[in-house]
Amino acid sequence: MTLTAAPLPKPSPADVAVRSLFTDPAVPADPYPVYRVLRDTAPVHRSMTGHWVLSRHADIDAVLRCAGAGKSLEAFIAGQQVPDWRRHESFTRMLDHLIWLNPPRHTRLRQLLGSVLTPRAVARYEPQIQARVAELLDPLAGGGDVDLLDVLAFPLPVAVIGTMLGVPCEDWPIFRRLVRDVTLCVEPSPTADQLALADAAARELNAYFDALIAERRARPRDDMISMLVAAEIDGESLTEGELSSLVQFLFGAGFETTTNLIGNGMLALLRQPDQLAALRAAPDLIAGAVEELLRFDASVQLTMRTAFEDLTVGDHVVPAGASMLLLLGSANRDPARYEDPDRVDVTRASVRPLSFSAGIHFCLGAALARLEGRVAFTELLRRFGRIELRKDAPRWKSNLTLHGLEELPVRLTPA
Ligand code: HEM
């Protein structure tokens, strides 16, 4: 008797798309074709690893605002299929992260920061941001060939958040690599090599910030770390874990994403010269243009939620306990929400990208990031009459979740 194995079911287009999203190193540079396949064929898709992958704007927006979904680091890691995750410092350091907490602790911690980062409070930093941009761009007044990430997109945001928190400026450069590496652990399916890099970076970051916090505890200054060391919730100080997590998260979230806004946004404009010209001709379009650039190529491509109860999403029931990956970058390109979504249009009306998320975890730094983006793009266009890309395909980082360029080589010609 001959036994013939039953043929394996053919993977669906969505299975193939998700596999490439999780494993193809070319995808972080341009995930949008993969998102299109998912939106068109299986917008609520249970992946082979167990994550539910959501790609439509309406579904993602609804889940972000829904009380039946929240945060569970453990459920997310189960979907990543990382065994024995407590061995990894990159994961354990996130246990107290604001972004992984649920109410009521989340609400209380957020209240601590709310007043510091409101649009009104942040507006006071505008002169300092202008001065920092001038300090960075004045030496380039004669133009020349530069990497825009090295000269502006990284040094501006790291200086802004570094100064607010009180992180010594001589140390800022090392954080470019450390934060890029540590965030590899929130990739949808990190490899062993990525986790090793993330863990090594986590160890360095923990040691650095523990020492800095101890120093501020001993000798407080007029900065946010000292403010958080002294802060109390219901008469109690933050735990050591909460304090270190909060400071590290604020610092990393404060620059990495904004670096990517300036880098990804400038690349998008350089690839659509008509839109660059439109913005040059009408600089007062800048606020809307920043929203459009945030939409077009979001610096946070995905976030996670866990179903706390059975949730009906589209035509599916996502069972309680399941981890969902919400593809914010795909929501922003959903043709059901935006006409001609794959084009930048700096005059587009009613752009409200999900790039800063929505609901109770809406980005606390949105006002600051928008302000930095406005100042950076305005000054670049005002000072340089021509900005040309020197490489058709600049290198991207291997991260998909925190999506940004590794380099942006340009030629600047003064106005
Ligand atoms: C273009 C720049 C930025 C982008 C695209 C961005 C994006 C995001 C996203 C998507 C989330 C929420 C994720 C979720 O719902 O799970 C978030 C949360 C957060 N962001 Fe940002 N961010 C940016 C800049 C900043 C800056 C400059 C700061 C700090 C000054 C910051 C601080 C935070 C904090 C504290 C949270 C946690 C909020 C919470 O969990 O309640 N972000 N950000």
Side-chain angles (χ1 to χ4, degrees), residues 174-184 201 205 248 251-253 255-256 399 402:
I174 55 168
F175 293 106
R176 186 164 167 187
R177 172 183 61 82
L178 288 178
V179 170
R180 178 197 64 197
D181 287 354
V182 82
T183 52
L184 285 167
L205 287 165
Q248 293 194 40
F251 188 49
F255 77 82
E256 173 73 12
N399 313 47
L402 291 173

Side-chain angles (χ1 to χ4, degrees), residues 205-327:
L205 287 165
N206 285 341
Y208 179 91
F209 281 99
D210 287 351
L212 184 59
I213 289 167
E215 159 67 25
R216 288 298 184 279
R217 201 184 287 288
R219 279 172 290 279
R221 294 193 194 167
D222 182 17
D223 61 32
M224 229 161 129
I225 295 184
S226 307
M227 183 275 271
L228 291 170
V229 166
E232 290 185 350
I233 296 179
D234 299 332
E236 285 186 22
S237 307
L238 303 187
T239 64
E240 285 300 315
E242 280 176 337
L243 193 56
S244 177
S245 275
L246 197 55
V247 170
Q248 293 194 40
F249 179 73
L250 275 171
F251 188 49
F255 77 82
E256 173 73 12
T257 49
T258 312
T259 294
N260 296 341
L261 160 63
I262 299 170
N264 302 1
M266 203 60 219
L267 179 64
L269 287 174
L270 292 172
R271 284 181 167 164
Q272 273 188 240
D274 62 323
Q275 296 304 303
L276 187 62
L279 190 53
R280 267 190 202 290
D284 57 340
L285 291 176
I286 188 64
V290 168
E291 294 310 291
E292 172 67 350
L293 295 172
L294 280 161
R295 177 196 73 79
F296 183 76
D297 205 9
S299 29
V300 180
Q301 284 287 314
L302 59 102
T303 187
M304 315 80 186
R305 291 293 185 274
T306 294
F308 287 162
E309 55 195 51
D310 289 356
L311 287 181
T312 302
V313 186
D315 297 334
H316 294 262
V317 174
V318 178
S323 165
M324 293 173 278
L325 297 185
L326 313 180
L327 300 177

Side-chain angles (χ1 to χ4, degrees), residues 64 71 97-101 106-107 110 113 117 122 157 160-161 164 224 246 249-262 294 298-305 326 328 354-370 372 402:
L64 287 171
K71 297 282 187 162
H97 263 60
L98 178 66
I99 207 164
W100 283 106
L101 298 180
H106 170 259
T107 321
R110 216 179 135 103
L113 297 170
L117 292 167
V122 159
V160 172
I161 192 71
M164 283 172 85
M224 229 161 129
L246 197 55
F249 179 73
L250 275 171
F251 188 49
F255 77 82
E256 173 73 12
T257 49
T258 312
T259 294
N260 296 341
L261 160 63
I262 299 170
L294 280 161
S299 29
V300 180
Q301 284 287 314
L302 59 102
T303 187
M304 315 80 186
R305 291 293 185 274
L326 313 180
L328 304 173
L354 288 179
S355 315
F356 290 122
S357 187
I360 64 167
H361 290 277
F362 180 80
C363 174
L364 270 171
L368 184 61
R370 286 175 166 135
E372 290 181 50
L402 291 173

Side-chain angles (χ1 to χ4, degrees), residues 5 14-16 65 81 86-87 102 185 266 295 317 321 370:
D15 289 328
V16 176
R65 296 170 198 278
Q81 298 191 324
R86 285 181 188 271
R87 281 189 307 113
N102 294 301
C185 73
M266 203 60 219
R295 177 196 73 79
V317 174
R370 286 175 166 135

